[in-house]
Amino acid sequence: MEEGKLFLGRIWGTTADGNVVLRFKSDTVPRIKQEYELCFVGPDAPESAADWMFTYTTFRTSEKPRLSSKNTPVKTIGILNSDDEKWIYVLVSNFDYALLEEVREKYLKKKIHPRIVLAVPDPPLDYLHNLLAFVTKFPENEILNLNSRISEEKWKPVNLDNAKDVSVDIIKLLDLNDQVVIQGPPGTGKSYLAAQICAHFLNHKKSVCLTALTNNALKEIAQQPGLRDALENGLVFKTNLSSDEKRKIPALKPITSITPIQKELLLSTYYQLSKKIFELIQEGKRYDLLIIEEASQAFLATIAMFKELAHKFLVIGDHKQLPPMVLSRELSGEINERIDKIIDGLKTYAFNKAEFSYRLTKTRRLPIPSAKLTGIFYDNSLESVSDFENNNNLTSQFKSLFHNEGGTTLATVPISVKIRNQIDLNMIVAKIGADLVNSNKNIEVALLTPYIDNEKRIYYHFNRFSNKFNRTTISTIHRVQGITVDYTILFLPLKNAGGFDLNDNLFNVATSRAKKGTLIISSEEIDFISSKSLEVSLILDKTENKTEEFKRLCL
């Protein structure tokens, strides 16, 4: 708690739109737009936190005495206005729907405000244990034994023109094959496509499961127009349905069973589906179609495990975007020299399934200049069908730093400035972002960096310049795959001699979030990092340079 990693508060109420109000002391407030684990304080924990003479691990795992009870993931989304200087009231979303109903009946209707603790999200240990159990039990599984030495040079996916509806083409492919791989570069409508395919199979009275790493990805699928009829007919179910999901999508139902049922669609996270894997395999139950979304974030074991549940298997993702998070790739290599092939499951699976691989080629998110640069990662096959024209209507003192036609720009500072710490670039990033959201209504901005300490500094400075957190995402790159904003400011401090800042996947994700322009801020030594790939080098060479404007406006 003293380090600002745990926050003790109370559930104070709910809002009409399904969000939950938490109350904290004004000097211990969690960050806004951050994901947390909300844990109910158990009946045996002392009333005063000053008397909590136990660790957080003990708090979460104790049974007798009960120091902690139920928990739910939440996301802080804003602060309510209040004249009470002693307390801060924070809005959170993603609260588990069933648990919130219980809280309303058991506590809030009786004017009782239960104590809670907010903490960093729990690591996915159960999910990893389920994967371990699967590979231990099924060591001969075909996918687990794919060729881990195959290279990308042999992988030549068939390009699909998704400016038109390609769901019909993919359905035909699934009729002919029991597995299909779709690579979807940024903004190519992967969620829209997945929903269309689900709807087709439901209309033909098939059982369907769509699984993704995050609840946000599942929510995006459920909101696609292709599933409108299925929702209205009560055929779409979701694991861990939250209160705000229920409000936004009233027809979405909480699951009663994970068993495949004809004409029904199950939306499940990797973790929730992995919990029932052995039960379903043992009973010989299979979905007529199982779709893995966000597949770049699936381990090879994840793909192998879920294919066991499917008659037809569709994998949608992009191995050029973020792979599963690993604490240290260097240390993991000491376990096995080919461990990257196991971690990067989609890459290994797709390269071995070249004959079933296809790629979408039209991006609706990225304007023409951005699509040309991002397309370098995709054999120059990516084309823009964005309706964005120019930034003439942008209001900002920093307008000249952005590409007028929505492309990517680069601004660098002299190495001498960086070494001497003459200026806080975290502050400049925050100031530019704040000016954008303060000066323009309805636009959304992302302030991104590879490093947690820089993210914290940017957040600190932004809080001084603006309160428009609802339209601003401040994050490390690892947490933003799937988001779309109007403008991105990407700060690359170049701390790591190995070129971590310019890792292909990180760079691709960070520079492909914006519909109207991306500004990269870095040191001039970015030109001399020899470890960067040919693709990143080409993109930087073709990026419009705004260094002189940056010096004039910011240095």
Side-chain angles (χ1 to χ4, degrees), residues 247-259:
R247 176 187 62 81
K248 291 177 181 176
I249 317 171
L252 192 58
K253 293 183 174 181
I255 64 162
T256 55
S257 170
I258 213 160
T259 302

Side-chain angles (χ1 to χ4, degrees), residues 304-361:
M305 182 167 62
F306 293 153
K307 190 174 186 301
E308 288 289 324
L309 298 180
H311 293 298
K312 298 286 184 179
F313 190 52
L314 177 60
V315 179
I316 303 176
D318 180 9
H319 64 269
K320 294 290 187 178
Q321 297 188 52
L322 295 181
M325 289 184 65
V326 175
L327 188 63
S328 171
R329 288 274 177 156
E330 293 76 16
L331 291 177
S332 68
E334 296 179 8
I335 299 171
N336 186 298
E337 63 177 4
R338 288 180 288 161
I339 201 166
D340 277 351
K341 305 297 184 181
I342 299 165
I343 295 170
D344 301 333
L346 175 60
K347 185 185 292 187
T348 301
Y349 178 74
F351 290 2
N352 279 273
K353 303 294 179 181
E355 69 272 30
F356 305 118
S357 296
Y358 299 83
R359 175 164 55 205
L360 307 179
T361 59

Side-chain angles (χ1 to χ4, degrees), residues 234-251:
L235 303 176
V236 185
F237 297 78
K238 182 183 177 298
T239 58
N240 290 92
L241 184 65
S242 70
S243 56
D244 53 310
E245 288 170 349
K246 185 66 176 174
R247 176 187 62 81
K248 291 177 181 176
I249 317 171

Side-chain angles (χ1 to χ4, degrees), residues 95-106 109 243:
F95 205 103
D96 182 85
Y97 175 71
L99 181 57
L100 182 57
E101 291 299 300
E102 180 182 329
V103 169
R104 283 172 171 150
E105 290 296 322
K106 189 174 180 180
K109 283 187 177 181
S243 56

Side-chain angles (χ1 to χ4, degrees), residues 108-173:
L108 299 182
K109 283 187 177 181
K110 301 175 182 178
K111 300 188 183 303
I112 299 172
H113 302 288
R115 289 189 298 168
I116 54 92
V117 166
L118 282 195
V120 295
D122 291 344
L125 294 181
D126 289 342
Y127 166 51
L128 298 177
H129 287 151
N130 295 337
L131 292 180
L132 175 60
F134 178 82
V135 300
T136 303
K137 193 167 185 177
F138 299 97
E140 302 304 317
N141 178 278
E142 180 257 338
I143 292 177
L144 294 178
N145 291 281
L146 289 174
N147 182 3
S148 61
R149 297 188 184 277
I150 196 166
S151 69
E152 187 167 7
E153 295 175 0
K154 296 182 179 180
W155 190 68
K156 301 296 180 183
V158 176
N159 289 334
L160 296 175
D161 182 4
N162 56 300
K164 60 182 180 64
D165 183 4
V166 293
S167 63
V168 175
D169 300 319
I170 295 170
I171 289 164
K172 288 179 180 178
L173 292 171

Side-chain angles (χ1 to χ4, degrees), residues 220-444:
E220 185 177 345
I221 295 286
Q223 292 175 303
Q224 296 298 323
L227 288 178
R228 192 172 296 137
D229 289 344
L231 280 167
E232 290 177 357
N233 292 323
L235 303 176
V236 185
F237 297 78
K238 182 183 177 298
T239 58
N240 290 92
L241 184 65
S242 70
S243 56
D244 53 310
E245 288 170 349
K246 185 66 176 174
R247 176 187 62 81
K248 291 177 181 176
I249 317 171
L252 192 58
K253 293 183 174 181
I255 64 162
T256 55
S257 170
I258 213 160
T259 302
I261 300 176
Q262 284 187 324
K263 296 196 305 181
E264 290 188 0
L265 168 63
L266 170 66
L267 302 175
S268 175
T269 59
Y270 293 169
Y271 165 54
Q272 293 295 332
L273 189 58
S274 73
K275 288 164 62 173
K276 298 290 185 178
I277 184 76
F278 298 110
E279 177 183 325
L280 294 175
I281 292 174
Q282 186 174 358
E283 295 175 358
K285 295 179 178 177
R286 302 287 187 274
Y287 290 93
D288 293 310
L289 173 67
L290 190 144
I291 301 175
I292 298 186
E293 248 276 50
E294 288 191 334
S296 70
Q297 297 179 337
F299 295 103
L300 188 62
T302 309
I303 297 173
M305 182 167 62
F306 293 153
K307 190 174 186 301
E308 288 289 324
L309 298 180
H311 293 298
K312 298 286 184 179
F313 190 52
L314 177 60
V315 179
I316 303 176
D318 180 9
H319 64 269
K320 294 290 187 178
Q321 297 188 52
L322 295 181
M325 289 184 65
V326 175
L327 188 63
S328 171
R329 288 274 177 156
E330 293 76 16
L331 291 177
S332 68
E334 296 179 8
I335 299 171
N336 186 298
E337 63 177 4
R338 288 180 288 161
I339 201 166
D340 277 351
K341 305 297 184 181
I342 299 165
I343 295 170
D344 301 333
L346 175 60
K347 185 185 292 187
T348 301
Y349 178 74
F351 290 2
N352 279 273
K353 303 294 179 181
E355 69 272 30
F356 305 118
S357 296
Y358 299 83
R359 175 164 55 205
L360 307 179
T361 59
K362 300 295 189 293
T363 175
R364 290 170 175 79
R365 177 194 302 154
L366 302 178
I368 293 173
S370 290
K372 286 182 177 179
L373 293 183
T374 298
I376 291 173
F377 286 115
Y378 304 96
D379 301 324
N380 297 305
S381 64
L382 192 62
E383 297 180 30
S384 172
V385 289
S386 165
D387 58 5
F388 178 75
E389 295 181 358
N390 57 60
N391 274 311
N392 290 347
N393 294 327
L394 178 64
T395 301
S396 173
Q397 61 179 309
F398 303 107
K399 177 179 178 178
S400 61
L401 296 178
F402 291 88
H403 194 296
N404 192 50
E405 296 174 2
T408 303
T409 54
L410 171 68
T412 60
V413 299
I415 296 175
S416 59
V417 172
K418 176 184 175 183
I419 292 175
R420 295 172 189 167
N421 290 319
Q422 291 175 316
I423 194 162
D424 186 350
L425 291 176
N426 299 292
M427 181 269 291
I428 290 178
V429 170
K431 190 172 184 179
I432 296 172
D435 187 70
L436 288 175
V437 292
N438 290 341
S439 305
N440 300 270
K441 293 182 179 180
N442 301 322
I443 71 165
E444 296 186 2

Side-chain angles (χ1 to χ4, degrees), residues 165-223:
D165 183 4
V166 293
S167 63
V168 175
D169 300 319
I170 295 170
I171 289 164
K172 288 179 180 178
L173 292 171
L174 286 167
D175 286 340
L176 297 171
N177 308 284
D178 64 359
Q179 56 190 320
V180 174
V181 180
I182 303 294
Q183 183 186 38
T188 50
K190 295 184 286 293
S191 297
Y192 177 89
L193 175 63
Q196 295 287 102
I197 295 170
C198 287
H200 170 86
F201 276 78
L202 293 176
N203 289 337
H204 285 75
K205 300 182 180 180
K206 304 295 185 181
S207 60
V208 184
C209 175
L210 186 145
T211 182
L213 180 69
T214 65
N215 283 295
N216 281 338
L218 299 175
K219 182 170 64 177
E220 185 177 345
I221 295 286
Q223 292 175 303

